[in-house]
Amino acid sequence: KNETEEGGKMVVRIRLCRMGRRNRPFYRIHVADSRKRPQGRFIERVGHYDPIPHPLTGEKQLKVNSERVKYWISVGAQPSETVAKLLHKVGILPKPPIKSGPMELGMPLQALAHLMLNRQNSAPSTSNQTQSQAFHTATSGSSRRVGLACILDDDHVSR
């Protein structure tokens, strides 16, 4: 009996399997049970991806059996984040959503500090710090990471 996270159903993923040699990766796109290791057993190989540009054409090679991928997605297979991006390039899936966290958006540290100061100003304040003191406290320290951790702490992000 196959019991997994989905209450008795086999959870199927579409993911990359790294092949090739050192400093020369090559990926196969596999449909596999999520419990199996990435280089382990797979159900079906549906494509391949070579991230190294071809020396003559300069293009990265991506080949996908779109009929089989569409079938597996229709029966409930979940593509990994990287495979979803690759399938978007081929035109099989829509563009994956952008994560909503500020770090995923590439927001600089000072912009994060201003964002947090605006949030603090809209909420009732219990401390006697001015905006410039709060900004200095958030961005100063022995490292920038310390200041960033203080800023993101209100968003319940753990380090």
Side-chain angles (χ1 to χ4, degrees), residues 16-80:
L16 296 176
C17 173
R18 188 177 196 267
M19 308 292 283
R21 62 175 197 257
R22 184 181 56 161
N23 296 329
R24 185 65 174 95
F26 177 84
Y27 298 93
R28 290 183 178 166
I29 303 172
H30 285 174
V31 176
D33 184 356
S34 66
R35 297 172 294 168
K36 302 293 182 189
R37 57 191 179 92
Q39 277 70 25
R41 296 185 103 177
F42 59 91
I43 300 169
E44 183 178 358
R45 185 172 64 205
V46 293
H48 65 270
Y49 171 60
D50 188 1
I52 308 288
H54 191 273
L56 298 177
T57 61
E59 294 180 359
K60 298 177 182 181
Q61 186 179 12
L62 174 61
K63 186 172 182 181
V64 177
N65 185 344
S66 60
E67 292 177 13
R68 296 304 297 164
V69 170
K70 288 176 184 177
Y71 165 76
W72 281 109
I73 290 174
S74 72
V75 296
Q78 296 292 317
S80 67

Side-chain angles (χ1 to χ4, degrees), residues 79-152:
S80 67
E81 289 182 27
T82 307
V83 172
K85 290 176 187 175
L86 292 174
L87 293 178
H88 167 67
K89 288 183 181 180
V90 175
I92 296 174
L93 288 179
K95 186 173 183 178
I98 298 174
K99 293 184 178 181
S100 61
M103 289 309 296
E104 285 84 8
L105 296 175
M107 192 177 291
L109 179 62
Q110 291 182 348
L112 280 172
H114 286 296
L115 177 70
M116 289 309 298
L117 287 174
N118 291 337
R119 285 187 188 173
Q120 288 174 357
N121 289 338
S122 63
S125 176
T126 59
S127 69
N128 294 330
Q129 281 186 326
T130 64
Q131 275 192 346
S132 61
Q133 289 172 339
F135 176 75
H136 181 69
T137 304
T139 57
S140 66
S142 60
S143 70
R144 293 173 66 96
R145 185 177 183 146
V146 173
L148 183 61
C150 295
I151 294 168
L152 294 177

